[in-house]
Amino acid sequence: MTAHKSAPPGFYSIEIGDSTFTILERYQNLRPIGSGAQGIVCKDNVAIKKLARPFQNVTHAKRAYREFVLMKLVNHKNIIGLLNAFSPQSSLEEFSDVYLVMELMDANLCQVIQMDLDHERLSYLLYQMLCGIKHLHSADIIHRDLKPSNIVVRTDCTLKILDFGLARTAGGSFMMTPYVVTRYYRAPEVILGMGYQENVDIWSVGCIFGEMVRARRSCSLAPTTSTTGHAGPEFLARLNTAVRNYVQNRPKYQPWPFEQLFPNDYFRQTARSTAA
Ligand code: AMP
């Protein structure tokens, strides 16, 4: 990381990886903690995200705007909160960078998934994911991109959902681009380009939880049909002809029995409840 001189008054510039952060002087000791499709995230005693080229095209601008507005509006303990937002540019003509300042968490769920979590911690993490999602759904917001890298936790096991770049408000079932949720966590109706609703987020939560229960045994869930079995006639009837032909020609699988996927001994009891 290299410090620069040329920054507007009250700001300083510092290079982080391939990116230059020009940030308010009050945020010192910046260190990178992660990067996603939308930008690079650093920490001081807060998390600061520099949105990657937010105005390069209409899609990026809409995503940046959605993330900013939703993070500001949604107020729930399981959704990441926006503390501040700023730009080093002071005129509309120059306006090109947006920085979002958020509450700082300790790790994302990818880093936690491999840990041998006991039943109590697993349940608490799942409960908090569901509380966050329920709150979003009650405001007619579908997240659409839930995955372990955009769920963050603290060492005290509290959890918050990040990233609203792909979220948009619901309002009935409608078609949206099929490429919005990272494949492993996508509901079938999203993969197959059918109309979809809030429940696509519940599917993603199920996949994440399944991975939390199984991943530390290095056997994460295989893609959809090899786990749940081949789609039935009722589901196939809802597909358009081309997609139906594709699905029908896929290899046939029997669904895995639930007891085999998630045997009871995968849920380690806490010392307290074992003793009881
Ligand atoms: P994002 O670009 O929002 O998907 O974030 C990319 C990564 O940065 C995440 O997977 C987290 O590891 C990290 N990150 C983002 N926001 C925070 C935060 N508020 N607290 C801690 N880590 C974060």
Side-chain angles (χ1 to χ4, degrees), residues 26-67:
R26 82 173 82 132
Y27 303 119
Q28 295 288 335
N29 304 321
L30 222 58
R31 270 163 297 150
I33 48 169
S35 64
Q38 273 199 287
I40 296 183
V41 185
C42 284
K43 73 167 183 176
D44 177 14
N45 48 12
V46 288
I48 305 179
K49 172 144 97 172
K50 179 183 182 184
L51 295 183
R53 306 213 286 150
F55 307 117
Q56 70 172 309
N57 58 38
V58 175
T59 309
H60 273 234
K62 276 188 184 169
R63 278 186 189 173
Y65 179 71
R66 268 202 296 261
E67 172 146 32

Side-chain angles (χ1 to χ4, degrees), residues 33-39 41 47 49 67 80 102-108 111 149-150 152 162-163:
I33 48 169
S35 64
Q38 273 199 287
V41 185
K49 172 144 97 172
E67 172 146 32
I80 204 80
M102 302 165 274
E103 317 163 75
L104 178 64
M105 303 292 281
D106 295 318
N108 69 30
Q111 296 154 295
S149 63
N150 57 33
V152 278
L162 287 177
D163 273 357

Side-chain angles (χ1 to χ4, degrees), residues 5-13 22-26 86-90 94:
K5 286 249 172 292
S6 58
F11 288 80
Y12 74 102
S13 293
T22 301
I23 53 167
L24 290 166
E25 275 167 1
R26 82 173 82 132
F86 62 86
S87 168
Q89 293 92 34
S90 53
E94 293 173 311

Side-chain angles (χ1 to χ4, degrees), residues 9 13 25 36 39 55 57 73 75 84 95 103 144 198 209 212 216 225-226 233 245 247 249 264 267:
S13 293
E25 275 167 1
F55 307 117
N57 58 38
L73 287 179
N75 178 11
N84 189 8
F95 187 32
E103 317 163 75
R144 302 194 298 161
E198 287 92 335
F209 188 61
M212 288 169 71
R216 59 180 189 269
T225 53
S226 58
N245 287 342
V247 173
N249 289 323
N264 281 345
F267 297 88

Side-chain angles (χ1 to χ4, degrees), residues 136-137 139-142 168-174 176 196-198:
L136 290 183
H137 290 176
D140 274 350
I141 298 165
I142 307 177
R168 59 178 284 181
T169 49
S173 164
F174 49 81
M176 288 185 275
Y196 57 91
Q197 310 169 41
E198 287 92 335

